[in-house]
mmCIF file of all heavy atoms in Angstrom:
data_model
loop_
_atom_site.group_PDB
_atom_site.id
_atom_site.type_symbol
_atom_site.label_atom_id
_atom_site.label_comp_id
_atom_site.label_asym_id
_atom_site.label_seq_id
_atom_site.Cartn_x
_atom_site.Cartn_y
_atom_site.Cartn_z
ATOM 1 N N HIS C 10 -31.446 184.077 109.166
ATOM 2 C CA HIS C 10 -30.572 185.065 109.801
ATOM 3 C C HIS C 10 -29.148 184.816 109.321
ATOM 4 O O HIS C 10 -28.739 183.669 109.146
ATOM 5 C CB HIS C 10 -30.616 184.942 111.331
ATOM 6 C CG HIS C 10 -31.979 185.086 111.905
ATOM 7 N ND1 HIS C 10 -32.520 186.312 112.241
ATOM 8 C CD2 HIS C 10 -32.937 184.170 112.188
ATOM 9 C CE1 HIS C 10 -33.744 186.133 112.719
ATOM 10 N NE2 HIS C 10 -34.018 184.849 112.696
ATOM 11 N N LYS C 24 -36.598 180.358 96.946
ATOM 12 C CA LYS C 24 -37.359 179.409 96.125
ATOM 13 C C LYS C 24 -38.767 179.991 95.970
ATOM 14 O O LYS C 24 -39.510 180.084 96.948
ATOM 15 C CB LYS C 24 -37.416 178.043 96.785
ATOM 16 C CG LYS C 24 -38.236 177.019 96.022
ATOM 17 C CD LYS C 24 -38.206 175.678 96.729
ATOM 18 C CE LYS C 24 -39.210 174.687 96.164
ATOM 19 N NZ LYS C 24 -39.054 174.487 94.717
ATOM 20 N N MET C 39 -35.269 200.549 108.341
ATOM 21 C CA MET C 39 -36.068 201.582 109.011
ATOM 22 C C MET C 39 -35.963 202.902 108.260
ATOM 23 O O MET C 39 -36.950 203.626 108.117
ATOM 24 C CB MET C 39 -35.598 201.756 110.455
ATOM 25 C CG MET C 39 -35.942 200.604 111.356
ATOM 26 S SD MET C 39 -37.721 200.458 111.581
ATOM 27 C CE MET C 39 -38.056 201.935 112.513
ATOM 28 N N ASN C 51 -39.907 185.300 83.950
ATOM 29 C CA ASN C 51 -39.488 184.087 83.233
ATOM 30 C C ASN C 51 -37.971 183.908 83.279
ATOM 31 O O ASN C 51 -37.335 183.629 82.253
ATOM 32 C CB ASN C 51 -40.002 184.130 81.788
ATOM 33 C CG ASN C 51 -41.514 184.165 81.734
ATOM 34 O OD1 ASN C 51 -42.188 183.391 82.417
ATOM 35 N ND2 ASN C 51 -42.066 185.083 80.948
ATOM 36 N N LYS C 68 -29.090 186.336 90.446
ATOM 37 C CA LYS C 68 -29.230 185.384 89.353
ATOM 38 C C LYS C 68 -30.496 184.568 89.532
ATOM 39 O O LYS C 68 -30.978 184.383 90.656
ATOM 40 C CB LYS C 68 -28.031 184.444 89.310
ATOM 41 C CG LYS C 68 -26.721 185.106 88.946
ATOM 42 C CD LYS C 68 -25.592 184.092 88.866
ATOM 43 C CE LYS C 68 -24.283 184.760 88.482
ATOM 44 N NZ LYS C 68 -23.161 183.807 88.430
ATOM 45 N N PRO C 84 -21.094 197.128 106.401
ATOM 46 C CA PRO C 84 -22.078 197.292 107.485
ATOM 47 C C PRO C 84 -23.375 197.940 107.020
ATOM 48 O O PRO C 84 -24.453 197.595 107.519
ATOM 49 C CB PRO C 84 -21.332 198.161 108.505
ATOM 50 C CG PRO C 84 -19.896 197.791 108.312
ATOM 51 C CD PRO C 84 -19.747 197.577 106.819
ATOM 52 N N ILE C 115 -24.147 192.849 109.108
ATOM 53 C CA ILE C 115 -22.737 192.894 108.719
ATOM 54 C C ILE C 115 -21.980 193.670 109.807
ATOM 55 O O ILE C 115 -22.275 194.843 110.060
ATOM 56 C CB ILE C 115 -22.546 193.587 107.362
ATOM 57 C CG1 ILE C 115 -23.463 192.963 106.295
ATOM 58 C CG2 ILE C 115 -21.074 193.523 106.933
ATOM 59 C CD1 ILE C 115 -23.182 191.517 105.990
#
Side-chain angles (χ1 to χ4, degrees):
Chain C
H10 303 273
K24 178 178 169 55
M39 289 294 292
N51 298 313
K68 293 183 179 179
I115 308 297

